[in-house]
């Protein structure tokens, strides 16, 4: 490695240090004996973990978050897989439709949430629920799924499908026996990604969340904006971090069995 | 014999696109138009066409709009500079696929902690009595100053920028990294054989190659930073940005004004996207 590579490696180390600085404090102070987020650290205690488990608002909102994330994931996987399969061939309006779907990714979260809230309340008279959150969030998650799938589709897939069709298989049989087994792994990746995105989303969910039983990030934002934080939230954060990390590492392990998403194929 | 199958083939593609497009129409496009309509209405009860919402936004909030755009532009430029070496190093300099993925996962792992908690995790770092403050005290004591007040970086521009670096690093590194993966590293070797210096190689080859990734990453970061309201509230002490303003207007059920502000933001973001699309052919990259 020459000098520049060494320099960049050091720089990379510094960046990782910066990124993990708050995380390490998060974990450390979640075990703090006293209700302080600042030095000096007072000794080890699990009481904040007990505190957040016994907080009914947090547990209910956590349950809401998981339920909503599951629904969003299902919607996203179905919609983005179908769309990705369609985008492999040339058709009319291909580019405009692609941009419309991609718009969901760039569209400001506040506006998406607010407009959906207004439509739900004013136009449709629809009560806010997990379903309103899920469909709103899938507008945002579907483009991610679509791009992941499009970049990861095996170019030989269409040849296998064509071979199956030549041998007389119907479209449904082609999908079930040829397409689906090949793209199975990619679907799991999309599902994990969508689940993680939906679980932590706050900007869009804030407005379409039912006010009495919100999802966890919404509850956290309103609480943390109004009251000074205690290590209870650090404990919650640590647990979420561990669970999310486990999910992502599972996804990473699955991905690397089939060549990996983030490396050259 | 072939007719039924041919019809199904024609139907397949539109059917496949239906879920995604239908969701977009119902939950994105229709609410957008309704919001657009609302932004020109004087109130929810007695809708009369008016421009007063836009006047309200521009007259009262023009400096805030400018500040927000400046902050978003600043973090975008900072992130370009911060992310380029990382993306270059990972894409080109590391040969092993496993280590590439490992380092990427290590950098991206904090992204999967809940946004709000990840933001307040900066309190023990920036606050008085926190990491930075303690190190500052040590240095001051070592230099001989003994009656120094603990410093707090909370609620300053610096803390917002650093928090944003952590939050948005993912969105800038990954596009540049993915684009650079497609570059053949032997080009760099060829350049050095032809006696090009390091800077020339970097500028003419690497930078030009990573340009689409930089553009895509910039669009992401700029759009996200413009409308972020959690970070300015939690770390910025309620620093008024566009996102915070729309959030407030939404909470106070001032919907026509919130919609007018949203339309202004959307127009700004669309301008950025339009400029970006002229530089980069996104569709060619993706499919």
């Amino acid at each position: 490695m020459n000098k520049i590579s060494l320099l960049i490696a050091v720089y990379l180390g510094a960046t990782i240090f910066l990124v993990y600085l708050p995380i390490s404090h998060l974990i450390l102070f979640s075990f703090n004996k006293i209700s302080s987020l600042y030095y000096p650290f007072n000794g080890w205690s699990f009481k904040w973990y007990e505190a957040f488990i016994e907080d009914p608002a947090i547990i209910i909102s956590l349950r809401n978050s998981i339920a909503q994330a599951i629904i969003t994931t299902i919607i996203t996987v179905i919609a983005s897989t179908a769309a990705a399969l369609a985008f492999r061939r040339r058709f009319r309006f291909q580019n405009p439709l692609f941009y419309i779907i991609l718009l969901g990714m760039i569209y400001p979260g506040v506006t998406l949430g607010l407009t959906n809230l207004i439509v739900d309340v004013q136009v449709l008279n629809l009560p806010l629920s997990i379903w309103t959150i899920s469909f709103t969030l899938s507008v945002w998650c579907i483009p991610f799924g679509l791009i992941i799938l499009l970049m990861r589709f095996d170019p030989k897939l269409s040849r296998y499908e064509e071979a199956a069709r030549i041998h007389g298989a119907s479209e449904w049989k082609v999908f079930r026996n040829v397409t689906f087994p090949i793209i199975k792994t990619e679907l799991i990746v999309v599902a994990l990604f969508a689940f993680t995105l939906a679980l932590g989303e706050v900007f869009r969910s804030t407005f379409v969340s039912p006010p009495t039983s919100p999802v966890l990030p919404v509850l956290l934002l309103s609480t943390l904006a109004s009251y000074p934080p205690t290590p209870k939230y650090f404990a919650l954060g640590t647990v979420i971090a561990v669970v999310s990390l486990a999910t992502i590492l599972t996804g990473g392990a699955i991905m690397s069995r089939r060549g990996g998403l983030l490396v050259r194929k | 014999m072939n007719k039924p199958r041919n019809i199904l083939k024609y139907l397949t593609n539109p059917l496949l696109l239906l879920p995604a497009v239908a969701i977009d129409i119902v939950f994105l496009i229709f609410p957008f138009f309704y919001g657009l309509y609302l932004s020109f209405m004087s109130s929810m009860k007695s809708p009369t066409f008016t421009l007063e919402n836009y006047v309200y936004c521009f007259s009262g909030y023009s400096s805030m709009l400018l500040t927000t755009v400046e902050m978003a532009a600043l973090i975008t430029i900072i992130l370009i500079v911060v992310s380029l070496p990382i993306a270059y190093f990972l894409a080109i300099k590391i040969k092993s696929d496993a280590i590439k993925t490992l380092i990427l996962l290590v950098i991206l792992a904090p992204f999967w902690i809940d946004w709000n908690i990840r933001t307040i995790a900066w309190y023990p770092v920036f606050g008085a009595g926190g990491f930075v403050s303690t190190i500052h005290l040590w240095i001051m004591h070592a230099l001989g100053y003994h009656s120094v007040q603990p410093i707090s970086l909370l609620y300053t521009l610096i803390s917002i920028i650093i928090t944003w670096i952590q939050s948005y690093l993912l969105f800038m590194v990954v596009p540049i990294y993915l684009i650079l993966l497609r570059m053949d590293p032997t080009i760099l070797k060829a350049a050095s054989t032809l006696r090009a210096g390091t800077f020339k190689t970097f500028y003419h080859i690497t930078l030009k190659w990573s340009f689409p990734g930089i553009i895509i990453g910039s669009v992401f970061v700029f759009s996200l930073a413009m409308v972020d309201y959690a970070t300015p509230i939690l770390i910025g002490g309620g620093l008024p940005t566009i996102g915070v303003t729309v959030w407030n207007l939404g909470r106070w059920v001032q919907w026509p004004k919130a919609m007018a502000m949203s339309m202004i933001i959307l127009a700004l973001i669309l301008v950025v996207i339009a400029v970006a699309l002229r530089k980069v052919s996104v569709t060619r990259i993706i499919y």
Side-chain angles (χ1 to χ4, degrees), chain A residues 11 20 39 95 196 217 262 264, chain B residues 82 106 112 116 129 177 181 287:
Chain A
Y11 168 77
Y20 277 88
Y39 287 96
N95 276 0
T196 321
L262 300 167
R264 219 189 307 261
Chain B
V82 167
V106 165
W112 281 286
N116 294 307
Y177 168 77
L181 272 185
Y287 62 83

Side-chain angles (χ1 to χ4, degrees), chain A residues 47 50 61 83 104 107 122 125 141 174 189 197 199 202 220 229-230 239 256 259:
Chain A
K47 68 177 189 184
E50 293 167 10
S61 65
Y107 200 78
Q122 291 284 124
N125 256 320
C141 294
V174 171
V189 171
L197 280 179
L199 203 57
V202 62
L220 286 177
T230 66
V239 169
S256 54

